[in-house]
């Protein structure tokens, strides 16, 4: 190859939202969890991290820019671990086998990453971010390994990142090897299996800084008397039951387990010393709406039609089938008026009528409106409608985030 | 005795606030709990129920008035059970042994009861109310039985009422007899053992109707996977440890266990299907203040100086030693301004300076003020400072709540 060859790859990766929650590590360095977890991958047409990785003999250091701002790669830190593990795979799987392969593993890399959703949305970007990082390096290094193998490396960047290596419905098997070789992600079902699984993200305002999940989960491991019961006796059964529900497209069971596991995760957080709270009064009100919405649909013989779940923050993610999403948006807007134009109707739910979503507010017939009070504009500061999506995508060179000089295009 | 003899007795009984929480019944009719619990009896100089019971051959029905309003005594209901059980004791222990004793057990009773704290304060009045009922009937019937025996009957009116038959620090032993004969209250230590145990009740506004504890606890029994672990493996040890802490006047341990058990009670409520929330954003902010207050005192080598606990509602009860109460009131007022004149300084904490408590707002040196935001006036709508108190008191005839005609004085 000529010296002008650019060794570079760009990939995007999706966000995932767990329905069986990961909370607690048995090994904090290798990021090995104390229980298996399961998530739905969301559509990266709407929410994604995009990452370009380039290897070049002229680069002096490994460097990474996130949203245009350089992020330090600390020696021994999570970013450094992921990059060095990917270089090791390049060397072992490609360079050691093919003497003609360029020695990319010995080159420094420049990496530019970009999230298309604002940090203010309160969505964890570490899962999609580390998945996109690993996916772009895998393409750069021309590795022909399964997403599960890549998930072992993404996991060491951020635990839940391992689940973003697959689309559809994904299990993170906790494994038992102290070295972590069996703590990886596997596909339970692809998006095509159940494409009408949709999600509505309710972005909730919060006036206080929450406990980081990294420190919070270890405090729970150290102090909660209930956590051990959860991981030994509750999660294993739920993993089986929800996998079966997904394979059978049994939304009612999927919803029941999803809500119960969200509740139990927040219960063990509360059972921590000092207690950890992620949900606030707005989160509680959304739960009350979904409980009442389901009470009605169960009374009508249709079972649960919506499932809330909350991660380590006040935002609600509501899973529902495509046919029911419109009614749920109308319900949420009835209690949580939106700033006009804030709702992005990316999936065309309301057609041209959606320019002011508030005019479409409506509660279902028979709904007990007293289950929550009406909140002020801004209490739910955004609604994002999306759906189950695919795994990491390789993007074309034209979508590179790095300029010719090796710096992010936004800086170039 | 002449026909003009009035058979009547008046008694008052205190409120109690549990530090090891009662949540769940193994027998809903007999009110037999699934775990033992432990409480502090509060001073009835400040919060009390007062009850007058009169037996008269001219009365046609058993009747009861609560705060001047007649409350129906439903056949087979909790009030009817308590009254008939007390009549049974009268007959067996007095009339069957002494042929000359008046046959009061065959007379109907009129009962007037009054709580000196408003319902709006959000304090459960059923515990003090049923304790005062049972205590006044015990005096009327001249029963010479221990408070533990009376607690068996009060328990059938309202579970936690059994603990209001004693002053000081009281355990409700769950017992094992299916008939409930060993599910009763016992004194762990009298008030005189640790008189500087004080309490600050923060009355929190709530804009929604909570789940009643009676229905809530049974939903938890039926649906929470974590509750079984709590009752089998957590509560028995905590009962022992906190009893020891009380006997040793070890406030640090008392506080740690009290807060952990409040958190765990709310955790199992959250692990219920659908989830039950009693604490709101104001409750959470009070927890954050107490956690930070304790962090400081621990850093200063003084251990925990305050312990929050929450029952089935958003109100906080903060236990602290007398010497620390003033500082805690000043801290709470800093974040939750009070309507002037609303704070009743019944124990003379602030002397004449207390006419506007807000002027005394102050946070301790080194306190991280960012742990909570400042709330609006009315978020905590009242503060009640009280302390550990004694058990039910027999009052004089002059304090009778019934007029000569057998109706409540407020109606006479």
């Amino acid at each position: 190859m000529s010296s002008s060859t650019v060794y570079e790859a760009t990939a995007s990766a999706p966000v995932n939202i767990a329905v069986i929650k990961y909370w607690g590590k048995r090994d904090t360095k290798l990021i090995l969890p104390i229980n298996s977890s399961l998530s739905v991958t969301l559509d990266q047409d709407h929410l994604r991290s995009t990452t370009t990785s380039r290897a070049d003999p002229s680069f002096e250091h490994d460097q990474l820019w996130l949203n245009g701002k350089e992020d330090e790669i600390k020696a021994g830190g999570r970013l450094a671990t992921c990059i060095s593990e990917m270089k090791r795979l390049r060397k072992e799987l490609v360079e050691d086998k093919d003497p003609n392969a360029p020695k990319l593993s010995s080159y420094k890399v420049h990496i530019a990453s970009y999230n298309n959703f604002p940090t203010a949305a309160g969505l964890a970007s570490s899962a999609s971010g580390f998945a996109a990082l690993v996916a772009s390096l895998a393409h750069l290094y021309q590795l022909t390994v399964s997403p599960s193998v890549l998930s072992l490396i993404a996991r060491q960047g951020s635990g839940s990142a391992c689940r973003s290596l697959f689309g559809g419905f994904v299990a993170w098997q906790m494994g038992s090897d102290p070295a972590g070789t069996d703590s990886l992600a596997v596909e339970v079902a692809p998006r095509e299996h159940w494409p009408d699984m949709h999600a509505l993200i309710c972005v909730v305002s919060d006036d206080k800084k929450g406990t980081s999940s990294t420190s919070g989960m270890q405090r729970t491991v150290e102090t909660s008397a209930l956590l051990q019961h959860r991981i030994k006796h509750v999660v294993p059964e739920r993993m089986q039951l929800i996998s079966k529900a997904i394979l059978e497209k049994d939304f009612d069971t999927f919803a029941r387990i999803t809500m119960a596991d969200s509740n139990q995760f927040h219960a063990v957080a509360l059972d921590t010393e000092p207690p950890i709270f992620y949900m606030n009064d707005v989160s509680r009100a959304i739960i009350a709406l979904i409980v009442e919405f389901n009470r009605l649909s169960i009374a009508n013989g249709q079972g649960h039609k919506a499932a809330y779940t909350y991660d380590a923050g006040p935002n609600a993610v509501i899973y529902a089938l495509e046919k029911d999403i419109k009614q749920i948006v109308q319900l949420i807007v009835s209690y949580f008026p939106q700033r006009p134009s804030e709702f992005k109707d990316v999936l065309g739910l309301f057609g041209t009528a959606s320019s002011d979503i508030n005019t479409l507010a409506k509660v279902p017939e028979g709904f007990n409106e007293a289950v929550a009070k009406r909140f002020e504009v801004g209490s739910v500061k955004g609604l994002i409608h999306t759906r189950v999506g695919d795994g990491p995508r390789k993007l074309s060179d034209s979508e590179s985030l790095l300029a010719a000089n090796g710096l992010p295009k936004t800086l170039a």
Side-chain angles (χ1 to χ4, degrees), chain A residues 244-258:
Chain A
K244 183 163 174 281
I246 290 164
L247 293 174
E248 294 174 355
K249 295 193 259 189
D250 170 1
F251 187 84
D252 182 66
T253 302
F254 173 87
R256 277 199 308 103
I257 298 173
T258 293

Side-chain angles (χ1 to χ4, degrees), chain A residues 288-306:
Chain A
L289 296 182
I290 298 302
V291 166
E292 173 64 9
F293 183 78
N294 281 325
R295 184 196 63 75
L296 257 185
S297 65
I298 292 166
N300 293 336
Q302 300 176 288
H304 291 79
K305 284 171 44 174

Side-chain angles (χ1 to χ4, degrees), chain A residues 56-346:
Chain A
D56 195 290
S58 74
F59 292 161
E60 293 181 4
H61 312 283
D62 290 336
Q63 281 184 283
L64 181 141
W65 293 263
L66 177 58
N67 296 328
K69 192 164 165 288
E70 185 164 4
D71 209 357
E72 191 194 349
I73 301 175
K74 292 196 192 95
R78 294 174 169 196
L79 278 169
T81 300
C82 285
I83 294 168
S84 69
E85 283 290 289
M86 291 301 291
K87 286 181 178 174
R88 181 181 61 77
L89 281 191
R90 164 71 184 182
K91 181 161 188 304
E92 290 178 11
L93 302 180
V94 181
E95 297 167 15
D96 288 355
K97 291 180 177 167
D98 174 5
N100 295 323
K103 301 286 181 285
L104 299 190
S105 70
S106 66
Y107 299 172
K108 301 296 182 188
V109 289
H110 279 193
I111 299 167
S113 191
Y114 172 77
N115 303 320
N116 80 332
F117 47 94
T119 305
L123 294 165
S125 58
S126 59
S128 54
F130 276 102
L133 171 71
V134 166
S136 71
L137 287 169
H139 290 298
L140 169 65
Y141 293 153
Q142 301 198 293
L143 304 179
T144 52
V145 297
S146 75
S148 288
V149 169
L150 296 179
S151 79
L152 290 165
I153 295 174
R155 188 201 74 223
Q156 296 175 64
S158 172
S160 58
C162 73
R163 297 186 310 240
S164 278
L165 267 304
F166 286 95
F169 304 82
V170 187
W172 174 8
Q173 296 174 341
M174 64 178 287
S176 58
D177 178 8
T181 56
D182 56 356
S183 185
L184 45 71
V186 297
E187 182 188 270
V188 173
R191 72 184 296 189
E192 294 76 18
H193 168 70
W194 205 359
D196 47 344
M197 176 65 77
H198 280 224
L200 181 71
I201 303 171
C202 305
V203 183
V204 172
S205 278
D206 204 13
D207 51 30
K208 66 180 261 298
K209 178 91 189 76
T211 307
S212 85
S213 59
T214 298
S215 69
M217 65 173 70
Q218 287 321 101
R219 245 165 63 205
T220 303
V221 171
E222 288 156 18
T223 64
S224 170
L226 301 181
L227 182 69
Q228 295 305 316
H229 186 78
R230 163 171 169 74
I231 63 175
K232 284 189 200 129
H233 301 291
V234 180
V235 171
E237 188 188 25
R238 283 187 181 162
M239 285 293 292
Q240 289 200 320
L241 291 175
I242 205 165
S243 297
K244 183 163 174 281
I246 290 164
L247 293 174
E248 294 174 355
K249 295 193 259 189
D250 170 1
F251 187 84
D252 182 66
T253 302
F254 173 87
R256 277 199 308 103
I257 298 173
T258 293
M259 292 187 284
D261 209 69
S262 174
N263 294 338
Q264 190 169 89
F265 151 48
H266 291 278
V268 298
L270 175 43
D271 188 50
T272 300
E273 183 178 336
I276 302 168
F277 296 91
Y278 289 118
M279 295 189 286
N280 62 23
D281 285 355
V282 171
S283 315
R284 292 167 57 198
I286 295 172
I287 288 179
L289 296 182
I290 298 302
V291 166
E292 173 64 9
F293 183 78
N294 281 325
R295 184 196 63 75
L296 257 185
S297 65
I298 292 166
N300 293 336
Q302 300 176 288
H304 291 79
K305 284 171 44 174
Y308 58 77
T309 188
Y310 293 80
D311 281 342
N315 291 345
V317 175
I318 302 169
Y319 286 115
L321 295 180
E322 181 171 17
K323 68 181 174 53
D324 298 317
I325 279 282
K326 189 170 168 176
Q327 205 180 17
I328 294 167
V329 171
Q330 293 180 296
L331 172 63
I332 296 292
V333 166
S334 302
Y335 285 83
F336 299 101
Q338 298 295 298
R339 290 195 181 83
S341 86
E342 199 137 290
F343 177 67
K344 306 269 181 296
D345 189 11
V346 289

